[in-house]
Amino acid sequence: MFRTALRNVLAHKARLLMTVLAVMLGVAFVSGTLVFTNTISDAYQKSSAQGFDQVDVAVTPESREDVGDRIGTTPELTQALLDASTKVPGASSAIGVVSGFTALADKDGKLVGGGFQSQGGNYWGDKDPRYPLQEGSAPRGAGQVAIDAETARRAGYEVGDTVRLSVDGPVLTPRVTGIFTTDDGNVAAGGSLTLFDTATAQQLFGKTGTYDEIAVKAAAGTSQTALKEALDKALPAKLVETTTGEQLADDQAELISSQMSGLKQGLLVFAGIALFVGTFIIANTFTMLVAQRTKELALLRAVGASRRQVTRSVLIEAFVVGTVAGVTGLVAGIGIGAGLRSLLGALGETVPEGPLVVSPGTVGAALVVGVVITMLAAWLPGRRAAKIPPVAAMSSVHAQATTKSLVLRNTLGALFSAAGVAVILAATTMDGSDGQAPMGLGAVLLIIGVFVLTPLLSRPLIAAAAPVLRVFGVSGKLARQNSVRNPRRTAATASALMIGLTLITGMTVMAGSLQKAIDKMASSAIRADYVVSMANGNGLSPDVDEKLGNTDGVTATSPMRNAPARIDGTTEYLTGVDGSAIGELTDLTLDDGAFEVGGSRVVVDRDTAESHGWKAGSAFTVSYEDGAKQRLTVAGVYEGNDLIQGIMLDTSALDGHQEDPAEMRILVKTSGGASDATKDRLEKALGSNPAIKVQSKKDISDEVAQMFTLMLNMLYGLLAMAVIVAVLGVINTLAMSVFERSQELGMLRAIGLDRRAVKRMVRLESLVISLFGGVLGIGLGVFFGWAAGELLGTKMATYELVLPWGRMAAFLALAAAVGVLAALWPARRAARLNMLAAIKSE
């Protein structure tokens, strides 16, 4: 039986090639995902570990929690603590570390690196061991800086150049005195690092005489643990915490691993989709292969082979196919992993250098996935073929699906579908986070139910295409009949395309609806023409509001100042605004009371009011950062959103209670409205500061749209794998269908159907099957998109369903293109059959 199985594999090379390709693509996707994420994760972990080479023990301020009416304060690391750390037994040296956001502009005035990855710090003395100088000298005074070598290369800076940068105030123009190398993870990820001398860094970052961290280096022969114990004894326990460099590296590696796990899981989901689709193709292929060899298997049964041996021979074929596909898929996956890493570089993303990581786990996963998926998909057809009585098989009297089996299949499909719809509808009534798991379960149940019902659905849906197919005469009529001749095969083929289009359509509906919600939120909640903020999300200096207010054409401004406070034993974040201007700059819907901000009168968003049991006229006591208390009165309750929410009070109530006030955003209204000239005037009023973003409502919307577009493009690229597998499935089905119908095609040719008509018949059959899958996929995708939107709507009041008709039409055209493309080879093969040989074939 083993030799027979191998001979059958070799006898059907062309047909099995499609199956190998289907499995190989799924395996390649899985192994490529693992190679890519392991490589990037390993590179970041090694880079972060190198970044702690100069730190044996880190001394940091002890974190303080908010207690009672008091806001927790962070202790300061003073020069005295630095001196004490240096004198601890076992310490060879100690460095005071100062860091903060620093926006560095390139030669075109644009921000270098991402906002959160643009960092600044201090260069310690004349020779900082953390940052070896590649050229030049250490910075001295406010007019000098050193920049990292990677940023210098990307921006084209050299020693002696003048650069433009900003921390949180005016633009500075220091001279580059040194270029250094670093293993900093932010720089490796495409950010920038700018260093000042320690005194300048402390002044710029508002930490005069203090440090963010003290990095202590151990003397020779002293372990990190021993040094930590010595520091714990010497330094005040209630002020500082100590952590070894090894622990810092481990924590960083764990953080990177957790961050990469999200990416890995996302990519593996799409790999699973490709495999899920591929499973249908494999099962379909083996079903047809076994059906074509029914007489051969019956003969084996007649000469003494048992049912188990027949099933085993089919599984041996599947094992050979799965092994070949697993090995080739692994090789292709390694190439995909390397290609994805290169693609990041081509897109301008910077990642640390490191070798390509192909772990034993990746190799094992590739082989297990390839072999197990293929054997599972082949088991049912093999078992079904083994149960056919030899006499019936030899006489070509195959057991057709009984009425009982069809009723059972359709009943199960209807139950699964109904359960899926019911669970999804129930999930839409839940809170956003609570409804995620039920909705996922409902989606799985519904997809399974529709897949089981697909043979039943194929007849009426394909029959709906009959009027169009009549235009093509006899070819069209035959194509329709062939499409419904074997509903199960048609269903399995169409389902592969259905699943891919379901996900693509669902995500497109959600992305379009979210974009519309953001647009509506910005236009309905904000009357201001511009929103000014820091590139990294930090607070703006208070003088920015003053500069904007003095700019020509500006009619009103209001800061949105973030201020922590204690209310009823919990921490709430107040929003300080200009009470006289905020009504002109916003357009918020009032639920209760009046929109009046000033003195002790405040307005509160609905969620906050409900959580505290407040309404218009309610009074409460607030404890500010400095411990001072004030009695405030709720003047009105408004409907908040993701842009504007919380407790709004006049900034005059916050003045004097904040040690370091910072405006998170500033709303600006102008006489001429939003325009390029107005925006340019505002940017120039702020000194063309690379750290500050001046955005109109359209700019905010475009920024969100850019994120959605990037997400969708990645999704389309990943799901293209599933579509490719679906194409292979349609080709496979048609090729085998042509082989099965050789005698029939010969008869059609003999009675006058020419080659062109035969080709047209096969192409139309493929087109109908693909469009059937496309219609089902788009329909399910719209339903899932609506359901997910209902869930999001509980968190976003402006959410509304938007159907992207243009894109859905493009997806349907894609399904049609899949059908036409997949039919090219089978149609050509059918047309070239020798009619006499075909008529004589069995």
Coordinates of all heavy atoms in Angstrom, one line a residue, residues 396-474:
S396 N -19.5 2.1 -11.2 CA -19.7 3.5 -11.2 C -21.0 3.9 -10.6 O -21.5 5.0 -10.9 CB -19.6 4.0 -12.7 OG -18.3 3.8 -13.2
V397 N -21.6 3.1 -9.8 CA -22.8 3.4 -9.1 C -22.4 4.0 -7.7 O -22.4 3.3 -6.7 CB -23.7 2.2 -8.9 CG1 -25.0 2.6 -8.3 CG2 -24.0 1.6 -10.2
H398 N -21.9 5.2 -7.7 CA -21.4 5.8 -6.4 C -22.5 6.2 -5.5 O -23.6 6.7 -6.0 CB -20.5 7.1 -6.8 CG -19.4 6.7 -7.7 ND1 -18.6 7.7 -8.3 CD2 -18.9 5.5 -8.0 CE1 -17.7 7.1 -9.0 NE2 -17.8 5.8 -8.9
A399 N -22.3 6.1 -4.3 CA -23.3 6.5 -3.3 C -23.5 8.0 -3.3 O -22.6 8.7 -2.9 CB -23.0 6.0 -1.9
Q400 N -24.6 8.5 -3.8 CA -24.9 9.9 -3.8 C -25.3 10.4 -2.4 O -25.7 9.5 -1.6 CB -26.0 10.2 -4.8 CG -25.6 9.9 -6.3 CD -24.5 10.7 -6.8 OE1 -24.4 11.9 -6.5 NE2 -23.6 10.1 -7.5
A401 N -25.2 11.6 -2.2 CA -25.6 12.2 -0.9 C -27.1 11.9 -0.7 O -27.9 12.3 -1.6 CB -25.3 13.7 -0.8
T402 N -27.4 11.3 0.4 CA -28.8 10.9 0.7 C -29.6 12.2 1.1 O -29.0 13.2 1.6 CB -28.9 9.8 1.7 OG1 -28.4 10.4 3.0 CG2 -28.1 8.6 1.3
T403 N -30.9 12.1 1.0 CA -31.8 13.2 1.5 C -31.5 13.4 3.0 O -31.5 14.6 3.5 CB -33.3 12.8 1.3 OG1 -33.5 12.6 -0.1 CG2 -34.1 14.0 1.7
K404 N -31.3 12.3 3.8 CA -31.1 12.4 5.2 C -29.8 13.2 5.5 O -29.8 14.1 6.3 CB -31.0 11.0 5.8 CG -30.8 11.1 7.3 CD -30.7 9.6 7.9 CE -30.4 9.7 9.4 NZ -30.3 8.3 9.9
S405 N -28.7 12.9 4.7 CA -27.5 13.6 5.0 C -27.6 15.1 4.6 O -27.0 16.0 5.3 CB -26.3 13.0 4.2 OG -26.5 13.2 2.8
L406 N -28.3 15.4 3.5 CA -28.5 16.8 3.1 C -29.3 17.6 4.1 O -29.0 18.7 4.5 CB -29.2 16.9 1.7 CG -28.3 16.4 0.5 CD1 -29.1 16.4 -0.7 CD2 -27.1 17.2 0.4
V407 N -30.4 16.9 4.6 CA -31.2 17.6 5.7 C -30.4 17.8 6.9 O -30.4 18.9 7.5 CB -32.4 16.7 6.0 CG1 -33.1 17.2 7.2 CG2 -33.4 16.7 4.8
L408 N -29.5 16.8 7.3 CA -28.7 17.0 8.5 C -27.7 18.1 8.3 O -27.5 19.0 9.2 CB -27.9 15.7 8.7 CG -27.0 15.7 9.9 CD1 -27.7 16.0 11.2 CD2 -26.2 14.4 10.0
R409 N -27.1 18.2 7.1 CA -26.1 19.3 6.8 C -26.7 20.6 6.9 O -26.2 21.5 7.5 CB -25.4 19.0 5.4 CG -24.4 20.1 5.0 CD -24.0 20.0 3.6 NE -23.0 21.0 3.3 CZ -21.7 20.8 3.1 NH1 -21.2 19.6 3.3 NH2 -20.9 21.8 2.8
N410 N -27.9 20.8 6.2 CA -28.5 22.1 6.2 C -29.1 22.5 7.5 O -29.1 23.7 7.9 CB -29.7 22.0 5.1 CG -29.2 21.9 3.7 OD1 -28.0 22.2 3.4 ND2 -30.0 21.4 2.8
T411 N -29.5 21.5 8.3 CA -30.0 21.8 9.7 C -28.9 22.3 10.5 O -29.0 23.3 11.3 CB -30.6 20.5 10.3 OG1 -31.7 20.1 9.5 CG2 -31.2 20.9 11.7
L412 N -27.7 21.6 10.5 CA -26.6 22.0 11.3 C -26.1 23.4 10.8 O -25.8 24.3 11.7 CB -25.4 21.0 11.1 CG -25.5 19.7 11.8 CD1 -24.4 18.8 11.4 CD2 -25.6 19.9 13.3
G413 N -26.1 23.6 9.5 CA -25.6 25.0 9.0 C -26.6 26.1 9.5 O -26.1 27.1 9.9
A414 N -27.9 25.8 9.4 CA -28.9 26.8 9.9 C -28.7 27.1 11.4 O -28.8 28.2 11.8 CB -30.3 26.3 9.6
L415 N -28.5 26.0 12.2 CA -28.3 26.2 13.6 C -27.1 27.0 13.9 O -27.1 27.9 14.8 CB -28.3 24.8 14.3 CG -29.6 24.0 14.4 CD1 -29.3 22.7 14.9 CD2 -30.6 24.8 15.2
F416 N -26.0 26.7 13.3 CA -24.7 27.4 13.5 C -24.9 28.9 13.1 O -24.5 29.8 13.8 CB -23.6 26.8 12.7 CG -22.8 25.8 13.5 CD1 -23.1 24.4 13.3 CD2 -21.8 26.1 14.4 CE1 -22.4 23.4 14.0 CE2 -21.1 25.2 15.1 CZ -21.4 23.8 14.9
S417 N -25.5 29.1 11.9 CA -25.7 30.5 11.4 C -26.6 31.3 12.4 O -26.3 32.4 12.7 CB -26.3 30.5 10.0 OG -25.5 29.8 9.1
A418 N -27.7 30.7 12.8 CA -28.7 31.3 13.7 C -28.0 31.7 15.0 O -28.2 32.8 15.6 CB -29.9 30.5 13.9
A419 N -27.2 30.7 15.5 CA -26.5 30.9 16.8 C -25.5 32.1 16.6 O -25.4 32.9 17.5 CB -25.8 29.7 17.3
G420 N -24.8 32.1 15.5 CA -23.8 33.1 15.3 C -24.4 34.5 15.2 O -24.0 35.5 15.8
V421 N -25.5 34.6 14.5 CA -26.2 35.9 14.3 C -26.8 36.4 15.7 O -26.6 37.5 16.1 CB -27.4 35.8 13.3 CG1 -28.2 37.1 13.3 CG2 -26.8 35.6 11.9
A422 N -27.3 35.4 16.5 CA -27.9 35.8 17.8 C -26.8 36.3 18.7 O -27.0 37.3 19.4 CB -28.6 34.5 18.4
V423 N -25.7 35.6 18.7 CA -24.6 36.0 19.6 C -24.0 37.4 19.2 O -23.7 38.2 20.1 CB -23.4 34.9 19.6 CG1 -22.2 35.4 20.4 CG2 -23.9 33.6 20.2
I424 N -23.9 37.6 17.9 CA -23.4 38.9 17.4 C -24.3 40.0 17.8 O -23.9 41.1 18.2 CB -23.1 38.8 15.9 CG1 -21.9 37.9 15.6 CG2 -22.9 40.2 15.3 CD1 -21.7 37.7 14.1
L425 N -25.7 39.8 17.5 CA -26.6 40.8 17.9 C -26.7 41.1 19.4 O -26.8 42.2 19.8 CB -28.0 40.4 17.4 CG -28.2 40.3 15.9 CD1 -29.6 39.8 15.6 CD2 -28.0 41.6 15.2
A426 N -26.5 40.0 20.2 CA -26.4 40.2 21.6 C -25.2 41.0 22.0 O -25.2 41.9 22.9 CB -26.4 38.9 22.4
A427 N -24.0 40.8 21.3 CA -22.8 41.5 21.6 C -22.9 43.0 21.3 O -22.3 43.8 21.9 CB -21.6 40.9 20.8
T428 N -23.7 43.3 20.3 CA -23.8 44.7 19.9 C -24.5 45.6 21.0 O -24.4 46.8 21.0 CB -24.6 44.9 18.6 OG1 -25.9 44.3 18.7 CG2 -23.9 44.2 17.4
T429 N -25.2 44.9 21.9 CA -25.9 45.6 22.9 C -25.0 45.8 24.2 O -25.4 46.4 25.1 CB -27.2 44.9 23.3 OG1 -26.9 43.6 23.9 CG2 -28.1 44.7 22.1
M430 N -23.8 45.2 24.2 CA -22.9 45.2 25.3 C -22.0 46.4 25.3 O -21.9 47.1 24.2 CB -22.1 43.9 25.4 CG -22.9 42.7 25.6 SD -21.8 41.2 25.6 CE -23.0 39.9 25.6
D431 N -21.3 46.6 26.4 CA -20.3 47.7 26.4 C -19.1 47.2 25.5 O -18.9 46.0 25.3 CB -19.8 47.9 27.8 CG -18.7 49.0 27.9 OD1 -19.1 50.1 27.7 OD2 -17.6 48.7 28.2
G432 N -18.3 48.2 25.0 CA -17.3 47.9 24.0 C -16.4 46.7 24.4 O -16.2 45.8 23.6
S433 N -15.8 46.8 25.6 CA -14.8 45.8 26.0 C -15.5 44.5 26.3 O -14.9 43.4 26.0 CB -14.0 46.3 27.2 OG -14.8 46.7 28.2
D434 N -16.7 44.5 26.9 CA -17.4 43.3 27.3 C -17.9 42.5 26.0 O -18.0 41.3 26.1 CB -18.6 43.6 28.2 CG -18.1 44.2 29.5 OD1 -17.0 43.9 29.9 OD2 -18.9 44.9 30.1
G435 N -18.2 43.2 25.0 CA -18.8 42.5 23.8 C -17.8 42.0 22.8 O -18.2 41.3 21.8
Q436 N -16.4 42.2 23.0 CA -15.5 41.7 22.0 C -15.4 40.2 21.9 O -15.5 39.7 20.8 CB -14.1 42.3 22.4 CG -13.9 43.8 22.2 CD -12.6 44.3 22.7 OE1 -11.7 43.5 23.1 NE2 -12.4 45.6 22.6
A437 N -15.3 39.5 23.1 CA -15.2 38.1 23.0 C -16.5 37.4 22.5 O -16.4 36.6 21.6 CB -14.9 37.5 24.4
P438 N -17.7 37.8 22.9 CA -18.9 37.2 22.3 C -19.0 37.5 20.8 O -19.4 36.6 20.1 CB -20.0 37.9 23.1 CG -19.5 38.4 24.4 CD -18.0 38.7 24.1
M439 N -18.6 38.7 20.4 CA -18.7 39.0 19.0 C -17.7 38.1 18.2 O -18.0 37.6 17.1 CB -18.4 40.5 18.7 CG -18.6 40.9 17.2 SD -18.8 42.6 17.0 CE -20.4 42.9 17.7
G440 N -16.5 37.9 18.7 CA -15.6 37.0 18.0 C -16.1 35.6 17.9 O -16.0 34.9 16.9
L441 N -16.8 35.1 19.0 CA -17.4 33.8 19.0 C -18.5 33.7 18.0 O -18.6 32.7 17.2 CB -17.9 33.4 20.4 CG -18.7 32.1 20.5 CD1 -17.9 30.9 20.2 CD2 -19.3 32.0 21.9
G442 N -19.4 34.7 18.0 CA -20.5 34.8 17.0 C -20.0 34.8 15.6 O -20.6 34.1 14.7
A443 N -18.9 35.5 15.3 CA -18.3 35.6 13.9 C -17.9 34.2 13.5 O -18.1 33.8 12.3 CB -17.2 36.6 13.9
V444 N -17.2 33.5 14.4 CA -16.7 32.1 14.0 C -17.9 31.2 13.7 O -17.9 30.4 12.8 CB -15.9 31.5 15.2 CG1 -15.5 30.1 14.9 CG2 -14.6 32.3 15.3
L445 N -18.9 31.2 14.6 CA -20.1 30.4 14.4 C -20.8 30.7 13.1 O -21.2 29.8 12.4 CB -21.1 30.6 15.6 CG -20.7 30.0 17.0 CD1 -21.7 30.5 18.0 CD2 -20.5 28.5 16.9
L446 N -20.9 32.0 12.8 CA -21.6 32.4 11.6 C -20.9 32.0 10.3 O -21.5 31.5 9.4 CB -21.9 33.9 11.5 CG -22.6 34.5 10.3 CD1 -23.9 33.8 10.1 CD2 -22.8 36.0 10.5
I447 N -19.5 32.1 10.3 CA -18.7 31.7 9.2 C -18.8 30.2 9.0 O -19.0 29.7 7.8 CB -17.3 32.1 9.4 CG1 -17.1 33.7 9.2 CG2 -16.4 31.4 8.4 CD1 -15.8 34.2 9.4
I448 N -18.8 29.4 10.1 CA -18.9 28.0 9.9 C -20.3 27.6 9.4 O -20.5 26.8 8.5 CB -18.7 27.3 11.3 CG1 -17.2 27.5 11.7 CG2 -19.1 25.8 11.3 CD1 -16.9 27.0 13.1
G449 N -21.3 28.3 9.9 CA -22.7 28.0 9.5 C -22.9 28.3 8.0 O -23.5 27.5 7.3
V450 N -22.4 29.5 7.6 CA -22.5 29.9 6.1 C -21.7 28.9 5.3 O -22.2 28.5 4.2 CB -22.0 31.3 5.9 CG1 -22.0 31.6 4.4 CG2 -23.0 32.3 6.6
F451 N -20.6 28.5 5.7 CA -19.8 27.5 5.0 C -20.5 26.2 4.8 O -20.6 25.6 3.7 CB -18.4 27.2 5.6 CG -17.7 26.1 5.0 CD1 -17.1 26.2 3.7 CD2 -17.5 24.9 5.7 CE1 -16.4 25.2 3.1 CE2 -16.7 23.9 5.1 CZ -16.2 24.0 3.8
V452 N -21.2 25.7 5.9 CA -22.0 24.5 5.8 C -23.2 24.6 4.9 O -23.6 23.7 4.1 CB -22.4 24.0 7.2 CG1 -23.3 22.8 7.1 CG2 -21.2 23.7 8.1
L453 N -23.8 25.8 4.9 CA -25.0 26.1 4.1 C -24.6 26.5 2.6 O -25.6 26.6 1.8 CB -25.8 27.2 4.7 CG -26.6 26.9 5.9 CD1 -27.3 28.1 6.5 CD2 -27.7 25.8 5.6
T454 N -23.4 26.7 2.3 CA -23.0 27.2 1.0 C -23.5 26.4 -0.1 O -24.0 26.9 -1.2 CB -21.5 27.4 0.9 OG1 -21.0 28.2 2.0 CG2 -21.1 28.1 -0.4
P455 N -23.5 25.0 -0.1 CA -24.0 24.2 -1.2 C -25.5 24.5 -1.4 O -26.0 24.6 -2.5 CB -23.9 22.8 -0.7 CG -22.7 22.8 0.2 CD -22.8 24.1 0.9
L456 N -26.3 24.7 -0.3 CA -27.7 25.1 -0.4 C -27.9 26.5 -1.0 O -28.8 26.7 -1.9 CB -28.4 25.0 0.9 CG -29.8 25.4 1.0 CD1 -30.7 24.3 0.3 CD2 -30.3 25.5 2.5
L457 N -27.0 27.4 -0.6 CA -27.1 28.8 -1.1 C -26.7 28.9 -2.6 O -27.1 29.8 -3.3 CB -26.3 29.7 -0.3 CG -26.7 29.8 1.2 CD1 -25.6 30.6 2.0 CD2 -28.0 30.5 1.3
S458 N -25.8 28.0 -3.0 CA -25.2 28.1 -4.4 C -26.3 28.1 -5.5 O -26.2 28.8 -6.5 CB -24.2 27.1 -4.6 OG -24.7 25.8 -4.6
R459 N -27.3 27.2 -5.3 CA -28.3 27.0 -6.4 C -29.1 28.3 -6.6 O -29.1 28.8 -7.8 CB -29.2 25.9 -6.1 CG -28.5 24.5 -6.2 CD -29.5 23.4 -6.0 NE -28.8 22.1 -6.2 CZ -28.6 21.5 -7.4 NH1 -29.0 22.1 -8.5 NH2 -28.0 20.3 -7.5
P460 N -29.7 28.9 -5.6 CA -30.5 30.1 -5.9 C -29.6 31.3 -6.4 O -30.0 32.1 -7.2 CB -31.2 30.4 -4.6 CG -30.5 29.7 -3.6 CD -29.9 28.5 -4.2
L461 N -28.5 31.5 -5.8 CA -27.6 32.6 -6.1 C -27.0 32.5 -7.5 O -27.0 33.4 -8.3 CB -26.5 32.8 -5.1 CG -26.9 33.3 -3.7 CD1 -25.7 33.4 -2.8 CD2 -27.5 34.7 -3.8
I462 N -26.6 31.3 -7.9 CA -26.1 31.1 -9.2 C -27.2 31.1 -10.3 O -27.1 31.6 -11.4 CB -25.3 29.7 -9.3 CG1 -24.0 29.8 -8.5 CG2 -25.0 29.4 -10.8 CD1 -23.2 28.5 -8.4
A463 N -28.4 30.7 -9.9 CA -29.6 30.7 -10.7 C -29.9 32.2 -11.1 O -30.4 32.5 -12.2 CB -30.8 30.0 -10.1
A464 N -29.6 33.1 -10.1 CA -29.9 34.5 -10.4 C -29.1 35.1 -11.5 O -29.4 36.1 -12.1 CB -29.6 35.3 -9.1
A465 N -27.9 34.4 -11.8 CA -27.1 34.8 -12.9 C -27.6 34.3 -14.3 O -27.0 34.6 -15.3 CB -25.7 34.4 -12.7
A466 N -28.6 33.5 -14.3 CA -29.0 32.8 -15.5 C -29.4 33.8 -16.6 O -29.0 33.6 -17.8 CB -30.2 31.9 -15.2
P467 N -30.1 34.9 -16.4 CA -30.4 35.8 -17.4 C -29.2 36.4 -18.1 O -29.2 36.6 -19.3 CB -31.2 36.9 -16.7 CG -31.8 36.3 -15.5 CD -30.8 35.3 -15.1
V468 N -28.2 36.7 -17.3 CA -26.9 37.2 -17.9 C -26.2 36.2 -18.8 O -25.7 36.4 -19.9 CB -26.0 37.8 -16.8 CG1 -24.7 38.3 -17.4 CG2 -26.7 38.8 -16.0
L469 N -26.2 34.9 -18.2 CA -25.5 33.8 -18.9 C -26.2 33.5 -20.2 O -25.5 32.9 -21.1 CB -25.4 32.6 -18.0 CG -24.5 32.8 -16.8 CD1 -24.6 31.5 -15.9 CD2 -23.1 33.0 -17.2
R470 N -27.5 33.7 -20.4 CA -28.2 33.4 -21.6 C -27.6 34.2 -22.8 O -27.7 33.8 -23.9 CB -29.7 33.7 -21.5 CG -30.4 32.7 -20.6 CD -31.9 32.8 -20.8 NE -32.6 32.1 -19.8 CZ -33.2 32.7 -18.7 NH1 -33.2 34.0 -18.6 NH2 -33.9 31.9 -17.8
V471 N -27.1 35.3 -22.5 CA -26.5 36.2 -23.5 C -25.4 35.4 -24.3 O -25.2 35.6 -25.5 CB -25.9 37.5 -22.9 CG1 -25.2 38.3 -24.0 CG2 -27.1 38.3 -22.3
F472 N -24.7 34.5 -23.6 CA -23.6 33.8 -24.2 C -24.0 32.5 -24.8 O -23.2 31.6 -25.1 CB -22.5 33.5 -23.1 CG -21.9 34.7 -22.5 CD1 -22.5 35.3 -21.3 CD2 -20.9 35.4 -23.1 CE1 -21.9 36.4 -20.7 CE2 -20.4 36.6 -22.6 CZ -20.9 37.1 -21.4
G473 N -25.3 32.3 -25.0 CA -25.8 31.1 -25.7 C -25.6 29.8 -25.0 O -25.7 29.7 -23.8
V474 N -25.2 28.8 -25.8 CA -25.1 27.5 -25.3 C -23.9 27.4 -24.2 O -24.1 26.7 -23.2 CB -24.7 26.5 -26.4 CG1 -24.4 25.1 -25.8 CG2 -25.9 26.4 -27.4

